[in-house]
Amino acid sequence: MLQGPVIILSAFAYLGVLFAIAYYADQRADAGRPVIANAYVYSLSLAVYATAWTFYGSVGRAASDGVGFLPIYIGPTLMIALWWVVMRKILRISKQNRITSLADFIASRYGKSALLGGIVTVIAVIGIVPYISLQLKAVSASYLILVQYPDIVMPQTLGETPMRQDTALWVALILAAFTIAFGTRHLDAAEHHQGMVAAIAFESLVKLLAFLAVGIFVTFGLYHGFGDLFTRAAADPRLRAMMTPLEGVAGGYASWVWLTILSMMAIMFLPRQFQVTVIENLDEKHLNKAIWLFPLYMLAINVFVLPIAFGGRLHFPEGGVDADTFVLTLPMVEKQEALALLVFIGGLSAATGMVIVETIALSTMVCNDLVMPVLLRMRSLALNERPDLTGLLLGIRRGAIVLILLLGYLYFKLAGEAYALVSIGLISFAAVAQFAPVVLGGIFWKGGTRRGALCGLVAGFVVWFYTLLLPALARSGWLPIGFLEQGPFGIALLKPLALFGLAGLDQITHAMLWSMLANIGAYVGVSLAATPSVDEHRQASLFVDVFRQGGEASGARFWRGTASVPELHSLLARFLGAAAADEAFTEYALGKGLRWKGDPLEADAELVHYVEVKLAGAIGAASARVMVAAVVKEEALSIEEVRTILDEASQVVVYSHRLEQKSRELEAATAELRAANERLTELDRLKDDFVSTVTHELRTPLTSIRAFTQILLEHPEVDAEQRSKFLGIITKETERLTRLINQVLDLSKIESGKAEWRESVLDLRELIGDAVTGMSQVFEERNIKVDVEVPAKVAPVRADVDRIIQVMLNLLSNAAKFCEPGRGRVRVALRDDGGALRVEVRDNGPGIDPSDQGVIFDKFRQVGDTLTGKPHGSGLGLHISRQIVEHFGGRMWVESRVGEGACFAFTLPHG
């Protein structure tokens, strides 16, 4: 099954699926229904962080360093927790300034410096080339291993391969073609590559599924779960040493700290991460879900790293199989062909996702921040006179994609084969970490200057190049090994791996320590010594105070001069195309309530800034500034004028914030008044209900008393038996009337706080017995059976005897009323309930509907018999009972189902 044509066909079929997903997503975007306008898709696209390094290399590192692989994934998890503060600010800045890349962001912050953008681009390309070579190495090696099935043969044993048969070269060319199709369909780099993002999100699921599949196979197929696998590993002294963090082969404290910091910077400043996190973001709110979903993804894809690594070491104890390939070779040696093919596709997915996004990001940087600024300054090319430059821009980006991938292939051939996958990746991580000081300093510190950023970046990059890249070339035989062992010209203090005599550290920790020291020192020192220009001062304010600015138009207040609408439109058409320029001007005119080409537009500061921002989306901020300056006459502002503008803006912002605060306070007061009014309306309604209920309850006994009294008065001849019956009714109704009046008085006293409470220590067993005895006549008349369950001894409680008797009588009376005569059954129970005594009165009546259980304890509420619908009583008894119980620190509730009776319960704390 695993023959060359099958593997190649499967790979192309998978790439075809990716292309179909991208095409579908682009079609949805054109129809106004974007697929990527979804927080889950956005979060999955961030998993482009998990490359072939994660898929293959993490297992390789774990096989040699044990838990030492973890800092690479701990770092992003820690960093992403800060994203709502850091990344949200970067997102807001990028959207307002139509930032196209990481280089564009840095150049724009420091006065839209073309030189700074170019340096950032050079550092990014040189730093990322090893990372791209890692992907080529992973795909090439996995194919060469898989095609040897059923034998397990490492690629390095196969000998030299002719160039036309070199798998890595073909992978580079195929990925170049694929990336051109994916990422250069649109010119505006600030627009979203929706098809690409959808495909990357799908790839994230594929590589996760493949890795989990092989992890489950190794853990539960080859072994009997985690316990069995780790027990066997612990029995091997070499593997046992790998299980202890911060010791031995797992790395020391310095290694863990610097690797964690390194990966924290990587998740922010790798060009591909900046591309998917910032440039492709549609909604800042997507960060909310990404903050927890991305770490969850990292956990899922790493949970089986150690089991696979230990399984590989146990399975291949002689060390003849490269640990980076355990993910693939373990299924192969067990003749799991389908799983092995799935692993290959998963690794291909991890590599292609990284290469596509990385080369798109780098090609945009090369075009906008390296090539175009140079071409625009070459007067001999007369680019300013050409009516349409869109073809040139696309050509530069496509050429850059091919060139970058060929450079990755060249590095692979020169140095990549001498390094494990993880080592190659860490070299790139250390390179992009050099961007951290100028970016983080740029968004939080207004004092950072262009010269400081230039010096910091150059100093950090030089140290990185000297301590990491040159040693890689030396180990590959392209530089004399003595360069590493004795230092250049035999100067021991300049040894790349022990600079200035600092020895005893691993290579990455050593390089990061010196490069960050040089970078941050130069950035801060030169910035403090230099005076910022007007442009730097303006941009610093726009970046650092982005949340206090008024959107894209905020930059317009810093421009003063004269311009022409036709020239601005012609400039935009030259780089975006006539149709896109017309669309942009139509959008601007509509925002002003005008019609493009129908109403005259004023070429004011706002229009000039609008055109510059639109242009920046295609050619970058630095080049856009140059092109706009060529068609407008700008009057230079002094530092004092910029500061005055900023002060005025700050005053406006403060005043605006005060207005917003007053508005919020007014809205809160209005809401409170509305709630109070609704409460008063409800109280008025409840009052009416209460008066109506009480009036009805008073009228009923009074009517009976009056009627029977009148009969006795008008008919004195009524016989003694009848007279006795009428007098009995009058007495009963009088008692009912007295009971109702007492309840109303009780409620009034309790709610006004004037009720008298006579507390004493009570024995609830005796109190329950007294209450049941008091109700015995009622139960006998209705032929209701009563069961009492009380323990032999209970803790005393502190309460008012009469009030608790009142509660019990109310509950027992309700139970008697709702039980069917002759078949009724009431059970009274008392038990200790952990710090309190619990009393239950349960009946077998019709029960209470769930919709009524929430209001049954409200005053003036009555719940009728569910069979007859007729209410019983005034609706005050339960409310008063709950008030009494709660006064003594207890609580009262009901449990019931319709047709299964009701259970009223209350608790009282131990006295």
Side-chain angles (χ1 to χ4, degrees), residues 413-722:
K413 299 303 289 185
L414 291 178
E417 296 190 66
Y419 273 83
L421 296 180
V422 169
S423 299
I424 299 174
L426 289 175
I427 291 173
S428 292
F429 270 27
V432 299
Q434 306 308 315
F435 301 137
V438 296
V439 174
L440 296 178
I443 64 175
F444 291 110
W445 181 41
K446 290 183 181 179
T449 65
R450 182 180 68 89
R451 289 182 181 178
L454 282 170
C455 292
L457 281 173
V458 171
F461 175 69
V462 168
V463 174
W464 169 85
F465 190 87
Y466 187 76
T467 56
L468 282 179
L469 197 61
L470 290 184
L473 295 175
R475 287 196 176 106
S476 302
W478 293 93
L479 289 175
I481 198 66
F483 172 74
L484 296 182
E485 296 174 352
Q486 289 88 36
F489 311 109
I491 304 175
L493 286 178
L494 297 182
K495 287 195 291 186
L497 302 183
L499 196 60
F500 302 121
L502 182 63
L505 299 176
D506 65 90
Q507 186 177 0
I508 295 298
T509 301
H510 172 265
M512 283 296 297
L513 186 63
W514 283 118
S515 65
M516 283 293 107
L517 186 63
N519 191 328
I520 297 172
Y523 172 61
V524 175
V526 176
S527 292
L528 291 175
T531 302
S533 66
V534 172
D535 284 343
E536 291 174 58
H537 203 287
R538 175 187 62 217
Q539 291 302 108
S541 173
L542 292 177
F543 274 55
V544 176
D545 298 330
V546 64
F547 292 117
R548 299 171 58 190
Q549 307 296 337
E552 286 187 10
S554 59
R557 63 176 182 267
F558 294 104
W559 188 87
R560 188 171 61 198
T562 58
S564 164
V565 172
E567 287 182 348
L568 291 172
H569 178 267
S570 175
L571 174 64
L572 209 55
R574 193 179 307 153
F575 289 94
L576 301 184
D582 284 340
E583 183 180 345
F585 270 74
T586 300
E587 178 186 342
Y588 177 81
L590 287 174
K592 296 289 186 180
L594 303 172
R595 291 177 302 142
W596 168 237
K597 295 184 178 179
D599 298 315
L601 282 179
E602 181 183 356
D604 55 7
E606 190 173 344
L607 178 59
V608 172
H609 179 72
Y610 176 80
V611 170
E612 184 176 337
V613 169
K614 286 290 183 183
L615 202 56
I619 61 175
S623 297
R625 166 56 59 89
V626 172
M627 295 311 301
V628 169
V631 299
V632 302
K633 295 179 180 179
E634 182 176 0
E635 299 175 20
L637 295 176
S638 66
I639 286 286
E640 288 71 21
E641 288 175 309
V642 171
R643 287 174 178 163
T644 301
I645 293 171
L646 290 174
D647 290 340
E648 292 173 353
S650 298
Q651 292 171 10
V652 171
V653 169
V654 171
Y655 182 65
S656 174
H657 287 171
R658 288 177 181 172
L659 286 178
E660 290 177 2
Q661 180 65 24
K662 294 294 183 183
S663 177
R664 285 194 292 268
E665 292 174 358
L666 183 59
E667 289 176 0
T670 302
E672 290 176 3
L673 287 173
R674 187 181 299 111
N677 185 54
E678 291 174 356
R679 179 61 180 163
L680 286 173
T681 303
E682 176 68 9
L683 289 174
D684 188 59
R685 185 186 65 77
L686 293 176
K687 179 203 69 176
D688 292 341
D689 291 345
F690 170 66
V691 171
S692 174
T693 301
V694 172
T695 302
H696 171 77
E697 292 296 327
L698 289 172
R699 185 185 296 118
T700 302
L702 284 173
T703 301
S704 298
I705 293 171
R706 178 181 177 184
F708 287 108
T709 303
Q710 190 170 356
I711 292 173
L712 293 175
L713 182 63
E714 293 178 356
H715 301 280
E717 70 279 4
V718 172
D719 60 67
E721 184 180 350
Q722 192 74 8

Side-chain angles (χ1 to χ4, degrees), residues 314-332:
L314 293 170
H315 220 75
F316 305 111
E318 297 177 0
V321 175
D322 187 350
D324 283 339
T325 68
F326 282 170
V327 178
L328 183 63
T329 52
L330 283 172
M332 287 177 62

